[in-house]
Amino acid sequence: MGIILEQGKKAKEAAEKVSLLTTKEKNDLLTAMAEQLESDKRYILAENEKDLQAGEKNGLSQALMDRLRLSETRIHSMAEGFRHVKSLKDPIGEEIESWKRPNGLRIQKARVPLGVVGIIYEARPNVTADAAALCLKTGNAAFLRGSSSAYYSNEAIVTSIHTALNKQGIPTDAVQLAKDTSREAASELFTMNDYLDVLIPRGGSGLIQTVVQESSVPVLETGVGNCHVFIDETAEKEMGINIAVNAKTQRPSVCNAAETILVQEQWAEQNGKELIAALVEHGVEVRGDENIQALHSRVKEASPSDWEEEYLDLTAAVKTVKDTEEAVRHIKQYGTGHSEAIVTETPFHKEMFYRNLDAAVLYHNASTRFTDGFEFGFGAEIGVSTQKLHARGPMGLEALTSFKYLIEGTGQIKE
């Protein structure tokens, strides 16, 4: 048996024990994990520095380097994520619904763990912490396969989590980091149906599509984020500018950052220069249509591919549209079903936007940057799902559960 299969087997065995933990035991563990992570921050930062140096040497993009980079603040945020998940209601054992049949049978639908949750992800060490917290709170084991570019960082975080697990008397196999980061080992994960109950890819479109197309393990698909902000003619000027700039620049390397800004023609005539100037001031390379190019000398001509690009960087495609209907058509053509925002003071336009677009998250007068498990009150997230089955949007605790039916009888037999 190969090393990945052996790890999977141990995760499956650990999952049985984790599924039986009480809420108090799980919450005590999350507290221990938070304290241990903060205690180990110097070790984690030193290991992270190894990954950063290798990333620079290997020419990782600035967007990937930002995702890879840890700091005391980010480690503290991960620890606070553990504490927040602790504070959330434990979904396991929850009665979703119940009813009584005419024959006297009482049927209860109860929430249960999935089992072993496999997560395959790129250079984001914070995913290691978030995934472990959410999986353990829901009574699941976590099988983590991070990218080789973040291996030292991920290993340090998992080592810290293992210390906490040991202190609480819980098998360390409940949280495993794949020891083999080769492509061949990743492909092996796709067929580990005996040990993995679900596989969740987090990363670029190439990774996600590879997992979706090649995995025989059920996949919870997270999505690429070609997100839009549409500013209509009745949008308040400062609000429109602030939301567009925030959605693009607050952290451009993440999937809920806006990639395209659509601006209604009249609003662009009146306020477009200030919008583009604000974006440029924040270091954004703007690629626009003819109307947008006329507003500022720094605007480059947008190519057809710019409307479908997920830049994950300080680059934005900006286009003028006639009205809300044209904005909706554009988003339907190029959007990825992740997060879309409209800035408007016209209720009819908001309702048109809400009714006609089928994305996981739609915003009115707010930045797309809030598509996040923590911001939704989930404590953390396992990813943002753009599919429609099982889970959609930021995936918190409930997304890592299934259910079973519990039937109470009084001796009924079927005739």
Side-chain angles (χ1 to χ4, degrees):
M1 180 178 285
I3 190 169
I4 294 295
L5 286 174
E6 182 64 32
Q7 284 189 275
K9 183 175 183 291
K10 290 180 178 179
K12 192 71 171 178
E13 292 168 354
E16 294 182 15
K17 298 177 181 178
V18 174
S19 69
L20 300 176
L21 294 177
T22 66
T23 298
K24 183 180 185 305
E25 287 172 328
K26 290 186 282 190
N27 287 344
D28 288 347
L29 171 60
L30 287 163
T31 297
M33 287 164 58
E35 292 173 352
Q36 192 65 47
L37 198 71
E38 290 175 329
S39 176
D40 293 336
K41 64 184 178 184
R42 290 185 180 177
Y43 163 62
I44 294 170
L45 289 174
E47 294 300 291
N48 179 242
E49 185 60 31
K50 294 179 183 178
D51 288 327
L52 291 173
Q53 290 177 3
E56 288 185 5
K57 182 179 178 181
N58 294 327
L60 286 187
S61 69
Q62 287 304 305
L64 285 177
M65 289 292 286
D66 176 63
R67 290 184 174 196
L68 179 59
R69 182 172 288 106
L70 293 177
S71 63
E72 288 196 16
T73 300
R74 288 187 179 180
I75 291 174
H76 177 69
S77 294
M78 287 190 286
E80 284 303 298
F82 290 158
R83 296 186 177 102
H84 194 166
V85 172
K86 171 195 170 182
S87 72
L88 299 175
K89 179 183 176 184
D90 185 353
I92 300 305
E94 173 192 358
E95 181 184 283
I96 301 171
E97 60 179 325
S98 65
W99 61 96
K100 193 171 184 179
R101 298 294 298 147
N103 61 6
L105 288 177
R106 181 179 180 273
I107 302 175
Q108 180 188 21
K109 188 178 183 181
R111 203 173 293 281
V112 297
L114 290 171
V116 180
V117 178
I119 304 101
I120 181 168
Y121 53 106
E122 294 175 342
R124 296 186 65 172
N126 65 296
V127 174
T128 304
D130 289 350
L134 292 170
C135 287
L136 292 170
K137 178 79 177 199
T138 48
N140 294 295
F143 193 99
L144 310 172
R145 195 279 185 184
S147 68
S148 57
S149 60
Y151 185 78
Y152 290 110
S153 306
N154 291 334
E155 188 176 43
I157 293 168
V158 170
T159 297
S160 181
I161 291 170
H162 281 179
T163 301
L165 285 163
N166 265 323
K167 287 180 177 179
Q168 299 302 119
I170 298 168
T172 57
D173 289 333
V175 177
Q176 295 212 44
L177 180 67
K179 295 177 182 178
D180 187 342
T181 59
S182 67
R183 290 181 180 272
E184 292 76 19
S187 297
E188 196 169 8
L189 283 178
F190 302 162
T191 57
M192 285 173 51
N193 299 65
D194 289 340
Y195 305 123
L196 299 183
D197 293 279
V198 67
L199 188 57
I200 303 173
R202 284 193 65 171
S205 59
L207 169 67
I208 293 168
Q209 288 308 308
T210 297
V211 175
V212 169
Q213 292 168 12
E214 297 184 12
S215 178
S216 60
V217 176
V219 175
L220 256 178
E221 182 179 352
T222 60
V224 175
N226 185 13
C227 305
H228 299 74
V229 172
F230 167 51
I231 305 173
D232 93 339
E233 64 268 31
T234 64
E236 293 182 1
K237 181 178 77 171
E238 292 304 318
M239 183 187 294
I241 293 173
N242 289 340
I243 287 174
V245 170
N246 178 267
K248 178 67 261 182
T249 70
Q250 197 271 335
R251 194 177 176 194
S253 65
V254 292
C255 62
N256 59 23
E259 304 294 11
T260 299
I261 300 166
L262 302 174
V263 189
Q264 197 277 334
E265 291 172 348
Q266 280 77 36
W267 195 95
E269 289 176 7
Q270 297 172 7
N271 308 302
K273 288 185 178 179
E274 291 180 64
L275 169 65
I276 303 304
L279 289 167
V280 170
E281 185 179 338
H282 280 78
V284 178
E285 177 185 302
V286 179
R287 301 178 186 179
D289 62 13
E290 290 183 1
N291 294 332
I292 299 300
Q293 290 175 64
L295 298 175
H296 198 289
S297 61
R298 296 272 293 276
V299 177
K300 297 182 178 180
E301 180 182 0
S303 68
S305 64
D306 282 314
W307 310 124
E308 58 190 12
E309 188 70 34
E310 186 187 26
Y311 300 108
L312 300 173
D313 206 347
L314 285 172
T315 303
V318 185
K319 180 181 181 180
T320 53
V321 293
K322 181 180 178 181
D323 51 24
T324 304
E325 187 175 346
E326 185 179 346
V328 166
R329 284 200 305 271
H330 179 97
I331 295 170
K332 282 185 174 181
Q333 181 174 355
Y334 297 105
T336 54
H338 194 293
S339 301
E340 311 293 359
I342 182 172
V343 186
T344 182
E345 295 302 309
T346 304
F348 177 73
H349 291 173
K350 179 196 77 172
E351 291 304 319
M352 183 189 301
F353 194 84
Y354 277 9
R355 189 172 61 251
N356 287 285
L357 285 176
D358 187 23
V361 186
L362 297 175
Y363 291 90
H364 172 229
N365 290 353
S367 170
T368 57
R369 284 286 289 114
F370 291 102
T371 302
D372 176 83
F374 185 83
E375 297 293 346
F376 276 37
F378 298 163
E381 70 178 29
I382 205 75
V384 177
S385 170
T386 55
Q387 66 183 35
K388 299 181 184 181
L389 297 179
H390 182 77
R392 199 177 197 195
M395 295 187 288
L397 296 175
E398 288 190 4
L400 296 181
T401 68
S402 184
F403 58 84
K404 60 184 176 185
Y405 291 103
L406 308 175
I407 316 298
E408 290 287 343
T410 54
Q412 289 90 337
I413 59 173
K414 185 159 185 183
E415 297 179 0

